[in-house]
């Protein structure tokens, strides 16, 4: 609870409540205190003890907290209930309405000095900003939430840390996202703070950055830890998110049936919870699994379903990322013109600070389409743009493959030295995927 208000403020509050109830100072004082004491207290010349304030609060029929800090009775409980309702609105995909509710609740919590409720509202605002693609604003909200929780234990701060890491990841800052998640995991495990919810949130969150950096072994290990922790976690939304992240690693290992099963579990949990954005993510990842397995008809259907759902939830950045996956499927089905139209329609949603890995994937695919059409100049331009984005993001595996493609293009056009430079760059990233950007693995949980 915040420190008590200044004695003069408390005194004026007592006087106001007493006069509203038509009580005299003697009536308020009896039987434990004197009218003179009440007079002195109301004048702000004495700092009342907790015992005295509890007596006065009882006589006035109000809560002790209302006298001490001016907070209406049961305000914190009411705020928490409304915060839970805002969370449900966000889960249903209405980012605009959720943001409006969280903004109002944040102002109310700040007015009454309710730090925990402030942090919850800021976390909600951060999640709404993530869904709408406002990554800078999301990061600011998560940073402020972490400040409000500075006095709490590390597990309590993990949702804010994870939010910051996701905002950096979506902006293409893979290495920093991994640093945030790994250092927090290390601190939790070395400190014996084995909170299942916190650990699962971090392990599920680090799988995506690991995969994009080419650190497949670490991604697989994080997935195994997440699966082992799942039975100890009560939050079905958290388990659903974990299954979606784990599916990506299972896919990289060629375990297609298990990946599809993980996505089915996540989809079922999300249907139960009506988490529309998370459910759209499941359709997106399932489409990706089908595409890798050569089931292009099903992949297209799943990805189109994801796009439609993201459009309804106004999750702009996620919608654009799913569109890149769909364009790849269309290209593989021989509909390159449709793929190019889709990619050119979403490229404006990306930048080097916002969705860099998928922006690079879009340029890479546009380069392939241009090369198929014998437009080598356009193809080279797209490959170079993709290379620049991947280098900034540190996505080692994709970068190595792109260098090979660019080298092949340069060699075919007679620029042998430039081709060799591209190959050398790719070999540097292929030598040991992930190891050039990652330090020692974090400490492991006692599973």
């Amino acid at each position: 609870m915040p420190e008590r208000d200044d004695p003069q403020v408390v005194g004026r509050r007592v006087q106001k409540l007493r006069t509203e109830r038509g009580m005299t100072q003697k009536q308020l004082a009896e039987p434990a205190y004197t009218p003179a004491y009440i007079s002195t207290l109301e004048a702000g010349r004495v700092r009342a003890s907790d015992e005295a304030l509890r007596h006065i609060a009882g006589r006035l029929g109000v809560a002790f907290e209302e006298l001490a800090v001016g907070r209406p009775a049961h305000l914190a409980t009411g705020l928490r209930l409304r915060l839970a309702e805002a969370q449900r609105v966000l889960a249903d995909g209405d980012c605009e309405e959720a943001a409006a509710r969280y903004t109002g609740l944040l102002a109310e919590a700040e007015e009454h000095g309710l730090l925990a409720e402030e942090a919850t509202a800021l976390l909600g605002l951060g999640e709404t900003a993530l869904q709408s693609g406002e990554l800078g604003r999301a990061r600011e909200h998560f940073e402020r939430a972490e400040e409000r929780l500075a006095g709490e234990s590390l597990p309590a701060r993990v949702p804010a840390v994870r939010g910051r890491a996701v905002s950096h990841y979506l902006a293409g800052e893979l290495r920093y996202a991994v640093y945030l998640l790994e250092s927090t995991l290390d601190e939790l495990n070395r400190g014996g703070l084995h909170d299942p919810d916190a650990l699962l949130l971090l392990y599920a969150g680090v799988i995506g950055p690991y995969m994009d950096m080419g650190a497949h072994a670490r991604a697989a290990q994080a997935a195994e830890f997440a699966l082992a922790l799942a039975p100890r976690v009560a939050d079905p939304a958290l388990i659903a998110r974990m299954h979606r992240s784990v599916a990506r690693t299972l896919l990289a290992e060629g375990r297609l049936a298990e990946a599809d099963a993980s996505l089915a579990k996540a989809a079922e949990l999300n249907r139960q919870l009506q988490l529309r954005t998370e459910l759209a993510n499941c359709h997106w990842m399932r489409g990706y699994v089908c595409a890798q397995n050569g089931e292009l008809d099903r992949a297209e259907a799943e990805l189109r379903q994801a796009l439609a759902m993201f459009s309804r939830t106004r999750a702009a950045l996620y919608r654009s990322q799913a569109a890149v996956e769909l364009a790849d499927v269309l290209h593989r089905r021989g509909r390159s013109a449709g793929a190019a139209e889709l990619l050119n329609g979403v490229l404006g949603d990306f930048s080097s600070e916002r969705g860099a890995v998928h922006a690079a994937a879009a340029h890479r695919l546009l380069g392939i389409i241009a090369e198929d059409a014998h437009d080598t100049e356009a193809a080279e331009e797209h490959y170079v743009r993709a290379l620049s984005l991947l280098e900034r993001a540190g996505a080692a595996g994709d970068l190595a493959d792109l260098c090979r493609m660019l080298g092949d293009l340069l060699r075919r056009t007679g620029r042998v030295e430039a081709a060799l430079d591209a190959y050398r760059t790719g070999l540097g990233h292929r030598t040991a995927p992930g190891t050039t950007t990652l330090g020692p693995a974090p400490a492991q949980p006692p599973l």
Side-chain angles (χ1 to χ4, degrees), residues 305-317:
Q305 176 71 8
L307 274 178
M309 295 176 76
F310 282 136
S311 296
R312 287 197 294 273
T313 61
R314 293 183 288 282
L317 184 56

Side-chain angles (χ1 to χ4, degrees), residues 40 59 82 88 146 210 213 250 278 284 300 329 413:
T40 304
R59 297 289 289 169
R82 284 180 286 152
R88 185 198 61 76
E146 209 171 345
Y210 276 159
M213 292 176 72
L250 295 172
E278 289 295 307
W284 172 14
E300 182 177 346
V329 170
T413 56

Side-chain angles (χ1 to χ4, degrees), residues 217-368:
R218 288 207 187 176
Q221 186 181 54
E224 294 299 331
F225 287 148
L227 285 168
L229 286 161
R232 298 161 58 186
V233 176
D235 185 352
L238 202 53
I239 296 173
R241 181 181 290 160
M242 177 274 297
H243 276 299
R244 182 166 50 84
S245 296
V246 164
R248 190 175 181 189
T249 300
L250 295 172
L251 177 63
E253 295 180 329
R255 295 154 67 181
L256 299 175
E258 291 173 71
D260 207 44
S262 263
L263 291 171
K265 290 175 185 176
E268 181 56 30
L269 284 164
N270 285 321
R271 283 190 194 95
Q272 294 170 10
L273 295 163
Q274 297 183 323
L275 300 177
R276 294 176 188 171
T277 298
E278 289 295 307
L279 183 56
N281 272 315
C282 289
H283 283 291
W284 172 14
M285 285 302 298
R286 178 171 281 170
Y288 184 72
V289 169
C290 293
Q292 297 304 305
N293 201 26
E295 303 173 65
L296 299 184
D297 285 351
R298 187 179 170 203
E300 182 177 346
E302 292 284 356
L303 290 167
R304 289 196 182 280
Q305 176 71 8
L307 274 178
M309 295 176 76
F310 282 136
S311 296
R312 287 197 294 273
T313 61
R314 293 183 288 282
L317 184 56
Y318 293 146
R319 184 184 67 239
S320 299
Q321 290 174 331
V324 174
E325 305 286 358
L326 176 59
D328 182 60
V329 170
L330 294 177
H331 170 65
R332 290 167 62 185
R333 300 193 72 187
R335 289 146 61 186
S336 295
E341 182 180 355
L342 191 57
L343 292 169
N344 286 315
V346 300
L347 265 178
D349 297 332
F350 297 122
S351 69
S352 59
E353 291 80 30
R354 188 172 183 268
V357 172
H358 277 79
H363 280 297
R364 176 185 179 277
L365 185 51
L366 284 169
I368 292 171

Side-chain angles (χ1 to χ4, degrees), residues 35 59 115 127 154 159 346 350 373 425 436 438:
R59 297 289 289 169
L115 293 181
E127 291 295 334
L154 181 57
V346 300
F350 297 122
T425 301
T436 57
L438 299 174

Side-chain angles (χ1 to χ4, degrees), residues 172-203:
E173 299 163 5
L174 275 64
R175 278 175 284 185
Y176 189 63
V178 167
Y179 161 75
L180 283 175
L181 295 165
E182 282 195 340
S183 59
T184 309
L185 278 167
D186 200 51
E187 189 175 348
L188 282 171
N189 287 325
R190 290 189 187 282
L193 302 170
H194 306 301
D195 181 278
D197 286 34
L199 288 171
L200 180 54
L201 200 60
L202 294 169
Y203 280 121

